[in-house]
Amino acid sequence: MSTPSSLVEIRNLSVDFESNRHFTRALHGIDLTLSRGEALGIVGESGCGKSITWMAALGLLGRNARVSGSVTLGGREILGTDDATLSCVRGGRIAMIFQDPSSSLNPLHKIGWQITEALRLHQGMWGQAARKEAERLIDRVGIANARQRLGEYPHEFSGGMNQRVMIAMALAGNPDLLVADEPTTALDATIQAQILDLLDDIRRERGMALVLISHDLGMVAEMTERVAVMYCGRIVEDSPTSDLFANPAHPYTRGLIAALPRIDGPRQRLMAIPGTVPPPSALPPGCTFSPRCMLADEDCLQCVPPMRSASADDRHVAACVHLGAVSSFVPKTSAVVQASAAGVA
């Protein structure tokens, strides 16, 4: 439902990819609303459509992709608009940080040139003013000796520092929304914590919205206010973060949480979800999770289950016909995730 505070509204977003002269559907009618200043986590196994959702929304997919539906930014439709409009949106209103910063930065240009280019495109800043602002941004993301570092190339930076440069470039357009796609995948644990603290500080300082795409449930529990769980190109659960980790309503969500190790009590064998994510071209009938679900029965094969309320206030919804039986599906939530979720409750 649209509200005055809505920043982005995605409605019935579908993506089909062409291969060997036929189309295969990868996204099946995604519905998602993001409010101004909200921190949303998107989780799920690889191949579930997390990154494709936002790449489709921003027009970043190749020519073999057929995208349909609606994506509005501040009430204005942006899906399918001309390149000039999208160029203003990308980087200006919505910035995206990709998981591999080394492949996102141009190795032939110095860091300063790349940041000032973003400032020129999205804020109309030139010359010394752009240079000063680039220095300020580099300093803000925690890179010392900013003036000297602006004259260096990406290969002269570590992976963590390149990720900080990417954050600085994203902030150069003063965006309303920052989409972080696995922003700490290639970083060690210490640098991961620094990057996440930086993102959280900047989000609160600027009042911008954040979409965090990640496999790390502990990170999502700590960083976000709401979580959407994706499986096979669909959102199967959407809930406030604390409620999702305390009372997961979908068997898939509960399976993901049960696969995390506990930090208290005796050692136990981790619970694994059997099987793998099916390819988009060979989805099972009905609920696509049914071949891997211990609760599956004939009802699950009849049709794709619609979203149903899993809480009294309807803020927690899940697409499962057996919501009442999910609580006995697998063991309780991992303690490490419970502790992180308690911090955002």
Side-chain angles (χ1 to χ4, degrees):
M1 182 69 67
S2 176
T3 65
S5 63
S6 295
L7 176 63
V8 176
E9 294 186 33
I10 298 175
R11 292 289 175 262
N12 198 31
L13 181 65
S14 298
V15 175
D16 299 275
F17 286 105
E18 184 180 15
S19 178
N20 297 325
R21 297 187 178 181
H22 72 274
F23 284 90
T24 300
R25 179 147 295 189
L27 281 189
H28 302 261
I30 298 297
D31 289 323
L32 197 62
T33 299
L34 184 69
S35 300
R36 298 181 185 276
E38 183 179 17
L40 170 70
I42 301 182
V43 302
E45 294 168 278
S46 296
C48 287
K50 305 183 299 297
S51 300
I52 288 177
T53 297
W54 290 97
M55 293 181 71
L58 293 173
L60 295 174
L61 297 179
R63 293 186 177 181
N64 67 327
R66 184 172 61 188
V67 182
S68 61
S70 171
V71 178
T72 59
L73 174 63
R76 181 183 180 185
E77 181 66 50
I78 63 171
L79 189 65
T81 56
D82 57 272
D83 290 341
T85 300
L86 285 175
S87 294
C88 293
V89 169
R90 294 191 293 240
R93 299 289 305 280
I94 302 176
M96 192 164 184
I97 302 173
F98 297 96
Q99 55 184 302
D100 184 7
S102 60
S103 66
S104 302
L105 294 169
N106 191 327
L108 302 179
H109 289 289
K110 296 177 181 179
I111 293 300
W113 185 92
Q114 299 187 58
I115 297 178
T116 54
E117 180 189 36
L119 291 168
R120 182 169 64 253
L121 290 173
H122 301 297
Q123 295 201 44
M125 300 180 69
W126 295 78
Q128 192 62 25
R131 182 79 181 183
K132 289 291 185 183
E133 179 63 11
E135 290 181 13
R136 188 190 71 80
L137 288 170
I138 282 291
D139 182 68
R140 179 64 188 88
V141 298
I143 298 179
N145 200 4
R147 181 172 298 181
Q148 175 185 329
R149 302 316 295 264
L150 286 177
E152 297 178 354
Y153 292 91
H155 72 268
E156 299 180 80
F157 289 73
S158 66
M161 293 178 72
N162 273 326
Q163 192 65 282
R164 291 171 185 268
V165 171
M166 287 300 301
I167 295 173
M169 290 179 63
L171 297 178
N174 196 23
D176 298 315
L177 167 62
L178 179 62
V179 180
D181 188 359
E182 296 283 2
T184 61
T185 297
L187 308 179
D188 61 64
T190 302
I191 301 300
Q192 282 186 22
Q194 293 175 3
I195 294 295
L196 292 176
D197 286 344
L198 173 62
L199 286 175
D200 193 49
D201 289 344
I202 291 173
R203 181 182 77 85
R204 298 180 187 280
E205 172 187 303
R206 297 196 172 201
M208 69 180 181
L210 172 69
V211 172
L212 180 61
I213 301 171
S214 180
H215 293 95
D216 189 335
L217 296 183
M219 177 171 63
V220 169
E222 183 177 358
M223 290 282 295
T224 66
E225 302 158 347
R226 183 170 136 242
V227 181
V229 182
M230 293 192 68
Y231 186 75
C232 287
R234 293 184 173 93
I235 294 177
V236 297
E237 188 161 2
D238 190 333
S239 168
T241 301
S242 57
D243 194 20
L244 181 105
F245 287 106
N247 300 291
H250 196 282
Y252 179 61
T253 308
R254 190 166 273 267
L256 291 176
I257 293 173
L260 296 172
R262 297 182 63 90
I263 60 175
D264 60 347
R267 289 189 299 174
Q268 296 178 343
R269 183 179 296 275
L270 295 179
M271 299 288 293
I273 302 175
T276 59
V277 179
S281 59
L283 297 181
C287 176
T288 51
F289 185 62
S290 59
R292 308 174 67 188
C293 181
M294 295 174 61
L295 296 177
D297 57 20
E298 290 297 324
D299 292 338
C300 301
L301 306 179
Q302 300 306 311
C303 63
V304 176
M307 283 289 194
R308 299 168 54 199
S309 177
S311 64
D313 57 6
D314 293 333
R315 296 174 62 206
H316 187 172
V317 293
C320 180
V321 298
H322 297 299
L323 291 185
V326 174
S327 59
S328 60
F329 175 43
V330 288
K332 284 286 187 179
T333 303
S334 163
V336 65
V337 174
Q338 284 183 332
S340 296
V344 298

Short mmCIF file of all heavy atoms in Angstrom, two decimals, residues 72-115:
data_model
loop_
_atom_site.label_atom_id
_atom_site.label_comp_id
_atom_site.label_asym_id
_atom_site.label_seq_id
_atom_site.Cartn_x
_atom_site.Cartn_y
_atom_site.Cartn_z
N THR A 72 8.30 2.84 -9.13
CA THR A 72 8.17 4.29 -8.96
C THR A 72 9.14 4.78 -7.89
O THR A 72 9.36 4.12 -6.88
CB THR A 72 6.74 4.69 -8.56
OG1 THR A 72 6.38 4.04 -7.32
CG2 THR A 72 5.74 4.29 -9.64
N LEU A 73 9.72 5.93 -8.15
CA LEU A 73 10.64 6.58 -7.22
C LEU A 73 10.05 7.93 -6.85
O LEU A 73 9.92 8.81 -7.70
CB LEU A 73 12.02 6.75 -7.87
CG LEU A 73 13.06 7.55 -7.08
CD1 LEU A 73 13.40 6.87 -5.77
CD2 LEU A 73 14.32 7.77 -7.92
N GLY A 74 9.62 8.06 -5.59
CA GLY A 74 8.97 9.30 -5.18
C GLY A 74 7.69 9.56 -5.95
O GLY A 74 7.33 10.71 -6.21
N GLY A 75 7.00 8.48 -6.35
CA GLY A 75 5.75 8.60 -7.08
C GLY A 75 5.91 8.72 -8.59
O GLY A 75 4.91 8.76 -9.32
N ARG A 76 7.14 8.74 -9.10
CA ARG A 76 7.40 8.88 -10.53
C ARG A 76 7.88 7.56 -11.11
O ARG A 76 8.81 6.94 -10.60
CB ARG A 76 8.45 9.97 -10.77
CG ARG A 76 8.77 10.21 -12.24
CD ARG A 76 9.88 11.24 -12.37
NE ARG A 76 10.21 11.49 -13.77
CZ ARG A 76 11.20 12.29 -14.16
NH1 ARG A 76 11.94 12.91 -13.25
NH2 ARG A 76 11.44 12.46 -15.45
N GLU A 77 7.25 7.12 -12.20
CA GLU A 77 7.61 5.86 -12.84
C GLU A 77 9.00 5.98 -13.48
O GLU A 77 9.28 6.92 -14.21
CB GLU A 77 6.58 5.50 -13.92
CG GLU A 77 6.86 4.18 -14.62
CD GLU A 77 6.74 2.98 -13.71
OE1 GLU A 77 5.70 2.87 -13.01
OE2 GLU A 77 7.67 2.17 -13.69
N ILE A 78 9.88 4.99 -13.18
CA ILE A 78 11.22 5.00 -13.77
C ILE A 78 11.49 3.76 -14.61
O ILE A 78 12.45 3.75 -15.38
CB ILE A 78 12.32 5.13 -12.68
CG1 ILE A 78 12.29 3.92 -11.74
CG2 ILE A 78 12.18 6.43 -11.92
CD1 ILE A 78 13.49 3.90 -10.77
N LEU A 79 10.66 2.74 -14.49
CA LEU A 79 10.90 1.53 -15.28
C LEU A 79 10.57 1.79 -16.75
O LEU A 79 9.47 2.22 -17.09
CB LEU A 79 10.04 0.38 -14.75
CG LEU A 79 10.35 -1.00 -15.33
CD1 LEU A 79 11.76 -1.44 -14.93
CD2 LEU A 79 9.34 -2.03 -14.85
N GLY A 80 11.54 1.52 -17.60
CA GLY A 80 11.31 1.70 -19.03
C GLY A 80 11.46 3.13 -19.52
O GLY A 80 11.16 3.41 -20.68
N THR A 81 11.90 4.05 -18.66
CA THR A 81 12.08 5.43 -19.10
C THR A 81 13.35 5.57 -19.94
O THR A 81 14.15 4.64 -20.05
CB THR A 81 12.14 6.39 -17.91
OG1 THR A 81 13.19 5.97 -17.01
CG2 THR A 81 10.83 6.39 -17.15
N ASP A 82 13.55 6.73 -20.53
CA ASP A 82 14.68 6.94 -21.43
C ASP A 82 16.01 6.97 -20.66
O ASP A 82 16.05 7.12 -19.43
CB ASP A 82 14.50 8.26 -22.19
CG ASP A 82 14.36 9.45 -21.25
OD1 ASP A 82 13.21 9.73 -20.83
OD2 ASP A 82 15.38 10.06 -20.90
N ASP A 83 17.11 6.82 -21.40
CA ASP A 83 18.43 6.75 -20.80
C ASP A 83 18.80 8.02 -20.03
O ASP A 83 19.49 7.94 -19.00
CB ASP A 83 19.48 6.48 -21.88
CG ASP A 83 19.38 5.08 -22.46
OD1 ASP A 83 18.78 4.22 -21.80
OD2 ASP A 83 19.90 4.86 -23.58
N ALA A 84 18.36 9.16 -20.51
CA ALA A 84 18.70 10.42 -19.83
C ALA A 84 18.09 10.47 -18.44
O ALA A 84 18.74 10.88 -17.47
CB ALA A 84 18.21 11.61 -20.66
N THR A 85 16.83 10.02 -18.33
CA THR A 85 16.17 9.99 -17.02
C THR A 85 16.85 9.00 -16.08
O THR A 85 17.11 9.30 -14.91
CB THR A 85 14.69 9.62 -17.17
OG1 THR A 85 14.04 10.59 -18.01
CG2 THR A 85 13.99 9.59 -15.82
N LEU A 86 17.15 7.81 -16.62
CA LEU A 86 17.80 6.79 -15.80
C LEU A 86 19.20 7.22 -15.36
O LEU A 86 19.64 6.89 -14.25
CB LEU A 86 17.87 5.47 -16.56
CG LEU A 86 16.56 4.69 -16.68
CD1 LEU A 86 16.76 3.45 -17.55
CD2 LEU A 86 16.04 4.28 -15.30
N SER A 87 19.89 7.97 -16.20
CA SER A 87 21.23 8.44 -15.83
C SER A 87 21.17 9.40 -14.65
O SER A 87 22.09 9.44 -13.82
CB SER A 87 21.89 9.13 -17.03
OG SER A 87 22.13 8.21 -18.07
N CYS A 88 20.09 10.17 -14.56
CA CYS A 88 19.91 11.06 -13.41
C CYS A 88 19.54 10.29 -12.15
O CYS A 88 19.94 10.65 -11.04
CB CYS A 88 18.83 12.10 -13.72
SG CYS A 88 19.28 13.27 -15.01
N VAL A 89 18.75 9.23 -12.33
CA VAL A 89 18.33 8.41 -11.19
C VAL A 89 19.49 7.60 -10.64
O VAL A 89 19.74 7.58 -9.43
CB VAL A 89 17.17 7.48 -11.59
CG1 VAL A 89 16.89 6.45 -10.49
CG2 VAL A 89 15.92 8.28 -11.89
N ARG A 90 20.21 6.93 -11.53
CA ARG A 90 21.33 6.08 -11.10
C ARG A 90 22.48 6.95 -10.63
O ARG A 90 23.05 7.73 -11.39
CB ARG A 90 21.79 5.19 -12.26
CG ARG A 90 20.74 4.17 -12.68
CD ARG A 90 21.30 3.14 -13.64
NE ARG A 90 21.66 3.71 -14.92
CZ ARG A 90 21.13 3.34 -16.07
NH1 ARG A 90 20.18 2.41 -16.10
NH2 ARG A 90 21.54 3.89 -17.21
N GLY A 91 22.83 6.81 -9.39
CA GLY A 91 23.90 7.62 -8.81
C GLY A 91 23.39 8.89 -8.16
O GLY A 91 23.91 9.31 -7.13
N GLY A 92 22.35 9.49 -8.76
CA GLY A 92 21.80 10.72 -8.20
C GLY A 92 20.77 10.45 -7.12
O GLY A 92 20.89 10.93 -6.00
N ARG A 93 19.72 9.68 -7.47
CA ARG A 93 18.67 9.36 -6.50
C ARG A 93 18.89 7.99 -5.85
O ARG A 93 18.61 7.80 -4.67
CB ARG A 93 17.30 9.37 -7.17
CG ARG A 93 16.88 10.70 -7.79
CD ARG A 93 16.56 11.75 -6.73
NE ARG A 93 15.57 11.31 -5.78
CZ ARG A 93 14.25 11.31 -5.97
NH1 ARG A 93 13.76 11.72 -7.14
NH2 ARG A 93 13.42 10.93 -5.03
N ILE A 94 19.37 7.04 -6.64
CA ILE A 94 19.63 5.69 -6.14
C ILE A 94 21.06 5.30 -6.51
O ILE A 94 21.43 5.33 -7.69
CB ILE A 94 18.66 4.65 -6.74
CG1 ILE A 94 17.21 5.03 -6.42
CG2 ILE A 94 18.96 3.26 -6.19
CD1 ILE A 94 16.18 4.10 -7.06
N ALA A 95 21.87 4.97 -5.53
CA ALA A 95 23.25 4.54 -5.76
C ALA A 95 23.37 3.06 -5.41
O ALA A 95 22.68 2.57 -4.52
CB ALA A 95 24.22 5.37 -4.93
N MET A 96 24.24 2.36 -6.12
CA MET A 96 24.39 0.92 -5.89
C MET A 96 25.86 0.59 -5.69
O MET A 96 26.72 1.04 -6.46
CB MET A 96 23.82 0.13 -7.07
CG MET A 96 23.66 -1.35 -6.80
SD MET A 96 22.57 -2.14 -8.04
CE MET A 96 22.50 -3.82 -7.39
N ILE A 97 26.15 -0.18 -4.65
CA ILE A 97 27.51 -0.66 -4.38
C ILE A 97 27.53 -2.14 -4.71
O ILE A 97 26.77 -2.93 -4.14
CB ILE A 97 27.90 -0.46 -2.91
CG1 ILE A 97 27.79 1.01 -2.52
CG2 ILE A 97 29.31 -0.96 -2.66
CD1 ILE A 97 28.00 1.24 -1.03
N PHE A 98 28.39 -2.55 -5.65
CA PHE A 98 28.48 -3.94 -6.05
C PHE A 98 29.48 -4.69 -5.18
O PHE A 98 30.34 -4.09 -4.53
CB PHE A 98 28.84 -4.04 -7.53
CG PHE A 98 27.81 -3.43 -8.43
CD1 PHE A 98 27.95 -2.12 -8.89
CD2 PHE A 98 26.68 -4.13 -8.80
CE1 PHE A 98 27.00 -1.55 -9.72
CE2 PHE A 98 25.72 -3.57 -9.62
CZ PHE A 98 25.88 -2.28 -10.08
N GLN A 99 29.37 -6.03 -5.21
CA GLN A 99 30.15 -6.82 -4.26
C GLN A 99 31.63 -6.89 -4.60
O GLN A 99 32.44 -7.21 -3.74
CB GLN A 99 29.58 -8.23 -4.15
CG GLN A 99 29.46 -8.99 -5.44
CD GLN A 99 28.81 -10.34 -5.25
OE1 GLN A 99 29.30 -11.16 -4.49
NE2 GLN A 99 27.71 -10.58 -5.90
N ASP A 100 32.02 -6.60 -5.83
CA ASP A 100 33.44 -6.64 -6.20
C ASP A 100 33.89 -5.25 -6.62
O ASP A 100 33.74 -4.86 -7.77
CB ASP A 100 33.65 -7.63 -7.35
CG ASP A 100 35.12 -7.78 -7.72
OD1 ASP A 100 35.97 -7.22 -6.99
OD2 ASP A 100 35.42 -8.44 -8.73
N PRO A 101 34.45 -4.47 -5.69
CA PRO A 101 34.81 -3.09 -6.01
C PRO A 101 35.89 -2.99 -7.08
O PRO A 101 35.93 -2.04 -7.85
CB PRO A 101 35.30 -2.52 -4.68
CG PRO A 101 35.72 -3.71 -3.88
CD PRO A 101 34.78 -4.80 -4.30
N SER A 102 36.78 -3.99 -7.16
CA SER A 102 37.87 -3.92 -8.13
C SER A 102 37.36 -3.97 -9.56
O SER A 102 37.99 -3.44 -10.48
CB SER A 102 38.87 -5.07 -7.89
OG SER A 102 38.23 -6.33 -8.03
N SER A 103 36.22 -4.62 -9.78
CA SER A 103 35.65 -4.68 -11.13
C SER A 103 34.73 -3.50 -11.42
O SER A 103 34.31 -3.31 -12.56
CB SER A 103 34.87 -5.99 -11.32
OG SER A 103 33.74 -6.02 -10.48
N SER A 104 34.41 -2.71 -10.40
CA SER A 104 33.53 -1.56 -10.57
C SER A 104 34.31 -0.26 -10.78
O SER A 104 33.75 0.71 -11.29
CB SER A 104 32.61 -1.41 -9.36
OG SER A 104 31.84 -2.57 -9.16
N LEU A 105 35.58 -0.26 -10.38
CA LEU A 105 36.41 0.93 -10.57
C LEU A 105 37.23 0.80 -11.85
O LEU A 105 37.67 -0.29 -12.21
CB LEU A 105 37.36 1.09 -9.37
CG LEU A 105 36.69 1.41 -8.03
CD1 LEU A 105 37.70 1.29 -6.89
CD2 LEU A 105 36.09 2.80 -8.05
N ASN A 106 37.43 1.90 -12.55
CA ASN A 106 38.19 1.90 -13.79
C ASN A 106 39.69 1.90 -13.47
O ASN A 106 40.18 2.86 -12.88
CB ASN A 106 37.83 3.13 -14.63
CG ASN A 106 38.38 3.06 -16.04
OD1 ASN A 106 39.44 2.51 -16.28
ND2 ASN A 106 37.65 3.64 -16.97
N PRO A 107 40.41 0.84 -13.86
CA PRO A 107 41.84 0.78 -13.49
C PRO A 107 42.70 1.80 -14.22
O PRO A 107 43.86 2.02 -13.84
CB PRO A 107 42.22 -0.65 -13.90
CG PRO A 107 41.27 -1.01 -15.00
CD PRO A 107 39.97 -0.33 -14.62
N LEU A 108 42.17 2.43 -15.26
CA LEU A 108 42.95 3.39 -16.05
C LEU A 108 42.85 4.81 -15.53
O LEU A 108 43.57 5.70 -16.02
CB LEU A 108 42.49 3.35 -17.52
CG LEU A 108 42.59 1.99 -18.22
CD1 LEU A 108 42.10 2.10 -19.65
CD2 LEU A 108 44.02 1.48 -18.18
N HIS A 109 41.96 5.05 -14.57
CA HIS A 109 41.78 6.41 -14.06
C HIS A 109 42.07 6.46 -12.57
O HIS A 109 41.78 5.51 -11.82
CB HIS A 109 40.35 6.90 -14.31
CG HIS A 109 40.05 7.17 -15.75
ND1 HIS A 109 40.59 8.24 -16.43
CD2 HIS A 109 39.27 6.51 -16.64
CE1 HIS A 109 40.16 8.23 -17.67
NE2 HIS A 109 39.36 7.19 -17.83
N LYS A 110 42.62 7.59 -12.14
CA LYS A 110 42.89 7.78 -10.73
C LYS A 110 41.59 7.89 -9.94
O LYS A 110 40.55 8.26 -10.48
CB LYS A 110 43.74 9.03 -10.52
CG LYS A 110 45.13 8.92 -11.16
CD LYS A 110 45.92 10.20 -10.99
CE LYS A 110 47.30 10.09 -11.65
NZ LYS A 110 48.09 11.34 -11.51
N ILE A 111 41.68 7.60 -8.65
CA ILE A 111 40.51 7.63 -7.78
C ILE A 111 39.87 9.02 -7.78
O ILE A 111 38.64 9.15 -7.85
CB ILE A 111 40.90 7.22 -6.35
CG1 ILE A 111 41.33 5.75 -6.29
CG2 ILE A 111 39.75 7.49 -5.37
CD1 ILE A 111 40.24 4.77 -6.72
N GLY A 112 40.68 10.05 -7.73
CA GLY A 112 40.15 11.41 -7.70
C GLY A 112 39.33 11.73 -8.94
O GLY A 112 38.28 12.37 -8.84
N TRP A 113 39.79 11.30 -10.10
CA TRP A 113 39.06 11.56 -11.34
C TRP A 113 37.70 10.88 -11.31
O TRP A 113 36.69 11.46 -11.74
CB TRP A 113 39.87 11.04 -12.53
CG TRP A 113 39.25 11.37 -13.87
CD1 TRP A 113 39.51 12.47 -14.64
CD2 TRP A 113 38.27 10.62 -14.57
NE1 TRP A 113 38.75 12.45 -15.79
CE2 TRP A 113 37.98 11.31 -15.77
CE3 TRP A 113 37.60 9.41 -14.31
CZ2 TRP A 113 37.06 10.84 -16.71
CZ3 TRP A 113 36.68 8.94 -15.24
CH2 TRP A 113 36.41 9.65 -16.42
N GLN A 114 37.65 9.65 -10.79
CA GLN A 114 36.40 8.89 -10.79
C GLN A 114 35.38 9.49 -9.81
O GLN A 114 34.17 9.51 -10.09
CB GLN A 114 36.67 7.41 -10.46
CG GLN A 114 37.59 6.77 -11.49
CD GLN A 114 37.77 5.28 -11.30
OE1 GLN A 114 36.80 4.53 -11.31
NE2 GLN A 114 39.01 4.85 -11.14
N ILE A 115 35.84 9.98 -8.67
CA ILE A 115 34.91 10.59 -7.71
C ILE A 115 34.44 11.95 -8.21
O ILE A 115 33.25 12.28 -8.12
CB ILE A 115 35.57 10.72 -6.32
CG1 ILE A 115 35.90 9.33 -5.77
CG2 ILE A 115 34.65 11.46 -5.36
CD1 ILE A 115 36.59 9.35 -4.42
#
